[in-house]
Amino acid sequence: TAVVTQTKAALWTDSRYWVQAERQMDCNWELEKDVSIMSVSEWLISQVPPGGNIGFDPFLFSLKTQEGYAMSLESSNRTLKSFPVNLVDQVWKDRPPVPPDNLTRLPDRVIRRSSYTQKDTHTAA
C-alpha cells in the first residue's frame, strides 16, 4: 500500500519486499513494515489534520478493506473519500497500452471461484 500526502510518502509491504523497497525507494519515501489497516490508519491520522479528507482509488481495495479504513478513520474525524479517477493515469501521458493478446483468463479452479458464484453466473445468463 502506498500513501502520498502533500509532504510525505510511505509504502507498506510485507517482509518479502523489504530489501527491494529499501534499494529502490529514494529518501522521499518511508518504508513501513506493519501492513495492517491499523498501521496505515495510524500513519494517516498522524499526517492528516482532523476534519481532513483522505482520497483513495476504489478499484484497488476490496469493499471489506475500504470499510476497515473508513471505520478506523471515522473515529478520528478523518473521512475516506472515493476518487474513481486514477491519478497515475492522469499524469502518465506517454504510458504504453497493455497489449490485449498478452492477457490470459485463469481457470475458475485457479482463482478459487466458489461453486455458489459459478451457479449464480450460469443462472443469470
Side-chain angles (χ1 to χ4, degrees), residues 47-89:
Q47 300 301 316
V48 176
N53 293 318
I54 299 162
F56 76 101
D57 185 335
F59 300 106
L60 299 179
F61 297 98
S62 69
L63 289 175
K64 183 177 179 179
T65 300
Q66 291 175 33
E67 289 170 359
Y69 282 118
M71 285 177 35
S72 63
L73 294 168
E74 183 178 8
S75 63
S76 69
N77 193 24
R78 277 91 172 162
T79 305
L80 195 61
K81 298 275 187 176
S82 173
F83 199 96
V85 177
N86 185 302
L87 296 177
V88 173
D89 292 342

Side-chain angles (χ1 to χ4, degrees), residues 7 11 21 25 38 40 56-57 66 71 73 103 117 125:
T7 58
L11 174 72
M25 292 188 319
M38 281 309 300
V40 177
F56 76 101
D57 185 335
Q66 291 175 33
M71 285 177 35
L73 294 168
L103 301 177
T117 304

Side-chain angles (χ1 to χ4, degrees), residues 8 10 15-16 21 23 25 29 37 41 43 49-50 52 56 60 62 70 77 85 87 92 104 108 122:
K8 290 191 177 182
S15 60
R16 294 173 293 172
R23 288 180 181 167
M25 292 188 319
W29 286 82
I37 288 175
S41 296
W43 189 91
F56 76 101
L60 299 179
S62 69
N77 193 24
V85 177
L87 296 177
W92 194 0
T104 304
D108 290 345
H122 296 301

Side-chain angles (χ1 to χ4, degrees), residues 33-44:
K33 296 180 178 180
D34 176 356
V35 295
S36 69
I37 288 175
M38 281 309 300
S39 173
V40 177
S41 296
E42 288 170 3
W43 189 91
L44 284 165

